[in-house]
Amino acid sequence: MKAKKLMALTLTAALTMSMLLTGCGDTDSASGGTGGTQPAGDSTGETAADTETGKETVRILVPGLNEETTVDPISGLETKSRGEFEAFLNERIPDYNIELKTIAWDGWIQSVEAMNEAGEMDVGFFTNQEAIPDWYQDLTPYLEKDADLNFNNLEDLFIPSAVHYIRYKSFNHPADSGKVYGIPITIACNVILYDSKIFEDWGISEPTADMSMSDLIDLSEQMTGTNPVTGKQNYGAYLFNTWMEWYALSYDAVKPFFSDTMDINELDMAEYVDYIKDSSEVKNYFSDMVRAVGCSNPAVATGAGRENWLTEDNDIAINFDSNNSTGTYMKYVYSGDTSITDRYKALLIPTGKYGEGFPEFFRFSISKNAENADAAWEVIKVLTTDKEIVDFYLSNYASDKISCLNDTEGMEMMSYDINKERLAYQQKNVFITDDYWYWRTAIQNVNNQILSGEYDADQAVEAFHAGVTDWVNNIKLQSGN
């Protein structure tokens, strides 16, 4: 396969600018982070302010906040508390009384469903869930008539991928296709990380911008074994099942699908399902995942094996667990800790012809049980387009994410060179499709078996095809056709 472009991010002094960001905290990713220890729906906000000021109260749900201001033990950066964020939002949105609620990331989907059903929020949150037509209101009527945020100026405000994904598309809910359930505030942009010291110990040149995923795994294999300098065991790679499936894009193993109706019966089985059986791209992807597991600590089978990562005793050359590693690494960048960023370096994920990476957006929505939907809409408009609010959220609660606004001028978080590069990369390379669940669940199941050493590449291809076929057939049965 042809090499896919890889952008290496050189963390120079520009990345460790003498900038004091008051509050870059731990990233609590919706894909597996922890944090937000408060019980679901708990809030200390005073609704009495509604009576005292005559302002409408709008209850906003933001997962992963803490009741106390915390100092990150890794970077020393401060993370603002729920109350401080609430106070900041009331300053930025003075026409309403903002009551900020939070839930833990663990089990957050179930918590959102429960709070929504109980009518405990007005403005809700989601990433890329299928069930949102049951949770939130369609924002189309607002976007058709609002003077400030509407279908005519979305492209002026947000990056192209954010505009595409603003419309809901799902084989599970075809009747809701084209509706708008949320306005984005951030987009994911993960990186692959490597330890330059291990490369030096082995006498191997660091990765270059023209390397493909296969090239990186070739390097991993060369650095698996006894370190020639320290005499200790090294592992050339580390993998984790979270988001591992998105590396399939780097191999052109999966493809985009577009539909106005999202009727599963219109899916061309030959083009989107049966191609898997004889696809060299699919085989190459699984072959390389098997190779990467082969040069990883055997503990990857249980999700362990990276305990020494980012320490002096690190034993991993290339960390492909981008989802769980990007946020922590970015804290070191923001804190200016060159002892880490000089040794550990970031690579943007190699692209395929359809792009790279999970198109994950954090979005805010109007709950179906909102007390005042019009007031919730007015708050969402500011929440997602006010640069100071977006900057506050990124710096405190989403260190691995970036803004999806076109205009980031003046945002401290987007002034870092690494974030400028990440945003430019996402604008150019983010994967655009109307649905990915028809293949994603199946490939996740296969990758779990690869991590456990149960599948070789041929078995993986066969299981992937069977899994996609079963998924599609099940949705067809549910559709009644």
Side-chain angles (χ1 to χ4, degrees):
M1 59 180 277
K2 62 182 182 180
K4 308 300 189 297
K5 184 176 180 182
L6 177 75
M7 292 184 65
L9 303 178
T10 303
L11 299 174
T12 63
L15 297 183
T16 54
M17 61 185 73
S18 56
M19 175 188 302
L20 293 177
L21 290 178
T22 57
C24 291
D26 194 14
T27 298
D28 296 319
S29 171
S31 306
T34 58
T37 57
Q38 197 170 312
D42 193 18
S43 172
T44 58
E46 293 290 341
T47 57
D50 202 26
T51 302
E52 294 172 0
T53 66
K55 297 179 182 179
E56 184 83 30
T57 292
V58 177
R59 302 162 299 168
I60 304 174
L61 176 66
V62 179
L65 309 182
N66 288 298
E67 280 306 305
E68 302 294 332
T69 297
T70 60
V71 176
D72 183 67
I74 298 172
S75 63
L77 295 173
E78 183 181 82
T79 299
K80 301 295 186 183
S81 67
R82 182 202 60 79
E84 289 175 291
F85 191 15
E86 182 178 271
F88 179 76
L89 290 176
N90 275 294
E91 290 176 4
R92 300 300 303 172
I93 313 175
D95 293 338
Y96 295 91
N97 175 51
I98 302 301
E99 182 181 318
L100 190 58
K101 294 173 175 281
T102 194
I103 54 177
W105 276 119
D106 290 341
W108 74 272
I109 294 176
Q110 293 77 11
S111 296
V112 168
E113 290 175 328
M115 290 183 66
N116 190 55
E117 184 67 23
E120 295 176 350
M121 62 183 180
D122 303 303
V123 174
F125 169 95
F126 76 99
T127 58
N128 295 66
Q129 281 59 54
E130 293 287 338
I132 55 172
D134 298 328
W135 302 354
Y136 299 128
Q137 298 185 28
D138 181 13
L139 303 181
T140 299
Y142 292 102
L143 288 165
E144 288 176 337
K145 65 183 181 181
D146 194 273
D148 303 314
L149 180 60
N150 54 67
F151 286 123
N152 291 327
N153 68 4
L154 283 176
E155 292 183 354
D156 296 328
L157 293 168
F158 298 102
I159 63 176
S161 56
V163 175
H164 173 82
Y165 283 109
I166 207 167
R167 290 190 180 274
Y168 179 79
K169 293 289 185 77
S170 171
F171 285 128
N172 286 292
H173 300 272
D176 297 306
S177 289
K179 294 180 180 179
V180 178
Y181 290 106
I183 305 299
I185 185 171
T186 66
I187 181 174
C189 186
N190 290 338
V191 294
I192 295 170
L193 297 164
Y194 70 92
D195 184 344
S196 63
K197 181 178 183 301
I198 289 183
F199 274 79
E200 181 180 359
D201 287 349
W202 285 85
I204 294 174
S205 299
E206 295 179 25
T208 57
D210 60 348
M211 285 189 169
S212 66
M213 280 291 295
S214 291
D215 293 330
L216 294 177
I217 294 171
D218 287 345
L219 295 178
S220 294
E221 289 184 321
Q222 296 176 46
M223 292 178 285
T224 299
T226 302
N227 185 299
V229 175
T230 67
K232 297 180 179 179
Q233 173 67 36
N234 281 169
Y235 300 99
Y238 179 79
L239 277 173
F240 191 72
N241 61 352
T242 306
W243 290 21
M244 178 178 164
E245 69 273 15
W246 294 102
Y247 288 131
L249 288 168
S250 302
Y251 295 81
D252 303 331
V254 293
K255 58 187 73 174
F257 173 83
F258 300 100
S259 171
D260 292 330
T261 66
M262 295 307 292
D263 181 351
I264 193 69
N265 298 288
E266 297 176 2
L267 183 72
D268 186 326
M269 293 294 286
E271 181 177 358
Y272 293 99
V273 180
D274 292 334
Y275 83 95
I276 292 171
K277 295 183 291 185
D278 301 311
S279 168
S280 60
E281 292 84 3
V282 173
K283 178 69 173 292
N284 288 339
Y285 164 70
F286 285 126
S287 295
D288 275 1
M289 295 303 100
V290 170
R291 285 203 298 145
V293 170
C295 49
S296 298
N297 188 317
V300 297
T302 60
R306 61 169 187 160
E307 291 74 19
N308 292 326
W309 179 249
L310 297 183
T311 72
E312 186 64 31
D313 297 324
N314 173 55
D315 53 3
I316 299 167
I318 303 177
N319 188 340
F320 293 99
D321 181 17
S322 63
N323 183 55
N324 291 306
S325 300
T326 299
T328 300
Y329 179 77
M330 292 306 298
K331 291 173 189 174
Y332 285 111
V333 174
Y334 301 144
S335 69
D337 188 346
T338 57
S339 67
I340 294 297
T341 58
D342 285 348
R343 173 173 172 176
Y344 295 90
K345 301 180 182 180
L347 306 166
L348 287 171
I349 297 170
T351 68
K353 63 183 177 182
Y354 303 120
E356 60 79 29
F358 182 16
E360 183 195 49
F361 294 88
F362 282 9
R363 303 172 240 217
F364 288 106
S365 313
I366 301 177
S367 169
K368 280 198 169 181
N369 293 316
E371 291 184 355
N372 186 329
D374 291 346
W377 168 252
E378 292 300 321
V379 168
I380 287 174
K381 286 195 304 181
V382 183
L383 193 62
T384 56
T385 62
D386 184 291
K387 290 191 286 186
E388 290 193 37
I389 292 177
V390 176
D391 204 27
F392 188 102
Y393 182 72
L394 286 171
S395 64
N396 283 281
Y397 317 113
S399 59
D400 59 333
K401 306 296 188 288
I402 55 175
S403 171
C404 53
L405 292 172
N406 276 321
D407 179 13
T408 61
E409 185 70 27
M411 294 175 63
E412 286 186 307
M413 291 296 286
M414 299 307 297
S415 66
Y416 288 91
D417 285 351
I418 189 172
N419 285 343
K420 291 177 181 177
E421 291 190 58
R422 291 203 296 162
L423 179 58
Y425 200 66
Q426 283 295 70
Q427 287 177 311
K428 181 180 179 181
N429 296 306
V430 70
F431 179 53
I432 301 293
T433 186
D434 282 348
D435 191 278
Y436 46 73
W437 287 105
Y438 75 95
W439 58 262
R440 188 184 182 197
T441 301
I443 206 170
Q444 286 174 329
N445 293 335
V446 171
N447 283 338
N448 284 334
Q449 297 301 312
I450 289 176
L451 286 166
S452 299
E454 299 296 326
Y455 282 171
D456 61 21
D458 290 324
Q459 291 170 314
V461 170
E462 182 179 356
F464 180 40
H465 176 258
V468 175
T469 302
D470 288 346
W471 193 97
V472 171
N473 287 338
N474 284 336
I475 300 299
K476 285 183 177 180
L477 286 174
Q478 293 174 28
S479 73
N481 296 315

